[in-house]
Amino acid sequence: MGLTRNRRKKEPEIVIARDTESSSSEEEDDYPLSESEKEDEEVKIELEKSKAKGKAPITVKLKKVCKVCKQPGHEAGFKGATYIDCPMKPCFLCKMPGHTTMSCPHRVVTDQGILPTSHRNTKNPIDFVFMRQLQPRIPPIKPPYVIPDQVHCAVIRYHSRRVTCLEFHPTRNNILLSGDKKGQIGVWDFAKVYEKSVYGDIHSVQVNNMRFSPTNDDMVYSASSDGKVGYTDLETGTSSTLLNLNPNGWQGPTTWNMLYGLDINSDKGLVLAADNFGLLHMIDHRSNNVTGEPILIHKKGSKVVGLDCNPVHPELLLSCGNDHFARIWDMRKLNPGESINDLAHKRVVNSAYFSPSSGTKILTTSQDNRIRVWDSIFGDLDSPSREIVHSHDFNRHLTPFKAEWGPKDASESLIVVGRYISENYNGAALHPIDFIDSSNGQLVAEVMDPNITTITPVNKLHPRDDVLASGSSRSLFIWRPQEKAEMVEEKEKKIVICYGDSNKKGKKQKRGSDDEDEDDDMFSSKGKNIKAKAKTTKSTRKTKA
């Protein structure tokens, strides 16, 4: 539109640098990227002022810069399923210079990179006892792995914010608990699919961990970033607060306490919770009262994101945190700085777990794209037995990835973990869930569904059934082995779509104003069949739409 003045003013120009990939949404972005992100030319937007004011139009140039180093002249990040490296940074996967992510030697679809440490032949008497008494209990021949590789049922947009943790009921096989970033706890009977409820008044912000009561299967403990440990009746939804670290409310970020790690030591009768200042808090689960004083178990001011009690030796406690360490403690003498072993990592440790049966192995997940395995807690723990290169370092607002043991695997070698870097499967950018053999680092199977295009960082294997539960954005998915799924499934998949955030059982939810990612978990029932490439000797698994 032209101007009526005789003298034409020179148009002012404003140059604004923007990232090549938008990060305005708090939740994970979808693929493929929008057209505006794919354009290589500068984007010009002309904004004209009102004619009454008679001002010249303003031209705004959005200059593309690298979203990694913020320098112009190149791009970095995801283009569909392809990750483009920043030339100023090392490989995004293995963190080593000299090659790109696409050509990384550890990035092979049917195998995973593994960095074994040198063999340690120690003559420690404890190692001798382990070899003679404990190791014979572990079967020398691995049974065939049973991989849940097909979506059996799902609840889409079940939560109003992204899923942060999952937990199976200890006695009722079809009950799954889920926590989200908003502080809600969901209870879902995935055998009946439609029987579900969401309790939204237990916590005010993110639920980080949940554990069932060892004395009452209908009661669950939960640790949240609101600084509270909740004790909730799943039948009624009523909850009581056992520990509140912020009794005076918000007093500023430097004093706000958040609880992350949570576990139960049944032999000691304790509920253990760890906060963002490096402290361990203890609650007597028989009286539900706080006992003792908080103990500093990690660097002061660092988050303790994980706690795990040894299943065989109840006096052993494993913790991990943002100070780049996983630490082993003796519960009989918990004192600051007196850990039994400190397992050093290069970056933040997202999780650390003892092996579920013998308790003699340790599995950790770190943000340096490494899964580390220690084969024996009785030997030299200065370095891990294996380091497995795996893509789980992320630059978005996601729940941290955590590799977890397969609880049914008698050999204590199968682990499951979601993958961050997407792969191109028949033109679709998908983020598989990886099943890895921790004894050699090989990929046993990668499972995906062509309709699930979001990232799946939260995964939990069932302790008694061949079931995998996964949380992807706000949705929940139940996976079963293909043969079993075909026997129990109806002709069409059982998919339930929810809206909003209601805590009333069986009531469809309405859209909420805080639903920032309302279109990020689309699930189409008419997708292509995509082959899920598995590292097996005889067959290739498929996931059906």
Side-chain angles (χ1 to χ4, degrees), residues 314-332:
E315 66 276 4
L316 295 181
L317 172 67
L318 181 62
S319 63
C320 63
N322 285 13
D323 60 354
H324 302 188
F325 279 94
R327 305 181 191 273
I328 304 177
W329 300 87
D330 189 338
M331 290 288 295
R332 296 167 296 187

Side-chain angles (χ1 to χ4, degrees), residues 2 36 490 528:
S36 62
E490 298 175 358
K528 299 177 181 179

Side-chain angles (χ1 to χ4, degrees), residues 13 20 38 52 81 84 90 131 135 145 242 290 337-338 392 423 463:
E13 184 175 280
T20 57
K38 294 182 179 179
I84 301 175
M131 296 292 292
Q135 198 168 29
Y145 295 123
L242 306 184
V290 177
E338 295 185 7
H392 49 258
E423 302 290 347

Side-chain angles (χ1 to χ4, degrees), residues 21 31 66-68 75-86 89-93 95 100-103 107 393 395-396 420-422:
E21 185 176 341
Y31 300 99
C66 172
K67 78 182 194 70
V68 177
E75 294 181 332
F78 284 100
K79 289 286 187 179
T82 303
Y83 183 84
I84 301 175
D85 283 277
C86 173
K89 300 290 183 179
C91 169
F92 184 75
L93 177 57
K95 312 300 182 184
T100 65
T101 301
M102 296 303 294
S103 62
R107 189 176 186 270
D393 179 22
N395 53 11
R396 306 184 183 203
Y420 176 62
I421 293 183
S422 58

Side-chain angles (χ1 to χ4, degrees), residues 85-267:
D85 283 277
C86 173
M88 310 300 292
K89 300 290 183 179
C91 169
F92 184 75
L93 177 57
C94 69
K95 312 300 182 184
M96 301 297 291
H99 58 269
T100 65
T101 301
M102 296 303 294
S103 62
C104 178
H106 301 293
R107 189 176 186 270
V108 183
V109 174
T110 58
D111 204 352
Q112 292 288 339
I114 179 169
L115 305 175
T117 59
S118 58
H119 179 68
R120 300 186 298 271
N121 186 17
T122 61
K123 301 298 183 181
N124 193 311
I126 299 180
D127 286 339
F128 178 77
V129 173
F130 169 74
M131 296 292 292
R132 290 292 301 271
Q133 297 183 8
L134 297 179
Q135 198 168 29
R137 300 178 186 177
I138 303 176
I141 300 177
K142 296 180 184 178
Y145 295 123
V146 179
I147 305 298
D149 55 1
Q150 185 174 16
V151 173
H152 170 58
C153 58
V155 181
I156 309 301
R157 301 192 186 101
Y158 182 38
H159 286 275
S160 60
R161 303 296 287 274
R162 58 179 163 87
V163 176
T164 55
C165 55
L166 297 172
E167 197 73 22
F168 283 104
H169 197 279
T171 57
R172 292 190 282 175
N173 288 349
N174 300 323
I175 301 297
L176 175 68
L177 265 64
S178 55
D180 70 5
K181 187 179 177 182
K182 195 176 181 180
Q184 299 175 337
I185 293 180
V187 184
W188 181 31
D189 186 342
F190 55 84
K192 300 178 181 178
V193 184
Y194 288 93
E195 290 199 8
K196 60 191 185 304
S197 58
V198 178
Y199 301 119
D201 55 355
I202 300 172
H203 295 287
S204 57
V205 289
Q206 178 170 316
V207 180
N208 294 309
N209 263 302
M210 297 181 294
R211 293 291 186 274
F212 277 91
S213 170
T215 57
N216 189 342
D217 293 341
D218 291 328
M219 305 297 292
V220 64
Y221 295 95
S222 55
S224 168
S225 293
D226 61 6
K228 297 179 181 179
V229 171
Y231 188 54
T232 306
D233 188 331
L234 300 179
E235 294 294 331
T236 63
T238 57
S239 179
S240 58
T241 300
L242 306 184
L243 174 65
N244 185 3
L245 300 182
N246 305 296
N248 298 322
W250 176 259
Q251 301 292 327
T254 58
T255 59
W256 184 259
N257 290 270
M258 297 179 282
L259 291 171
Y260 288 91
L262 180 73
D263 203 9
I264 297 177
N265 190 319
S266 300
D267 288 22

Side-chain angles (χ1 to χ4, degrees), residues 160 182 474 499-501 509-518:
S160 60
K182 195 176 181 180
R474 297 176 292 161
Y499 300 97
D501 53 349
Q509 302 175 345
K510 297 180 180 179
R511 292 184 183 272
S513 60
D514 60 344
D515 220 356
E516 299 176 0
D517 57 335
E518 60 184 19

Side-chain angles (χ1 to χ4, degrees), residues 21-34:
E21 185 176 341
S22 173
S23 60
S24 59
S25 174
E26 185 176 1
E27 301 298 324
E28 61 193 63
D29 296 337
D30 287 321
Y31 300 99
L33 299 176
S34 63

Side-chain angles (χ1 to χ4, degrees), residues 474-536:
R474 297 176 292 161
S475 305
L476 299 180
F477 299 89
I478 295 295
W479 304 71
R480 293 183 182 273
Q482 185 171 346
E483 298 78 8
K484 290 187 177 182
E486 290 174 352
M487 294 173 59
V488 298
E489 272 189 343
E490 298 175 358
K491 292 184 178 180
E492 294 184 0
K493 285 184 178 180
K494 293 171 279 189
I495 308 297
V496 181
I497 300 179
C498 303
Y499 300 97
D501 53 349
S502 170
N503 64 347
K504 293 184 178 180
K505 188 173 181 179
K507 182 178 179 180
K508 278 196 173 182
Q509 302 175 345
K510 297 180 180 179
R511 292 184 183 272
S513 60
D514 60 344
D515 220 356
E516 299 176 0
D517 57 335
E518 60 184 19
D519 294 324
D520 66 342
D521 5 18
M522 300 303 295
F523 188 98
S524 171
S525 60
K526 297 180 180 180
K528 299 177 181 179
N529 287 349
I530 291 184
K531 291 183 178 180
K533 301 175 184 178
K535 184 66 176 180
T536 56

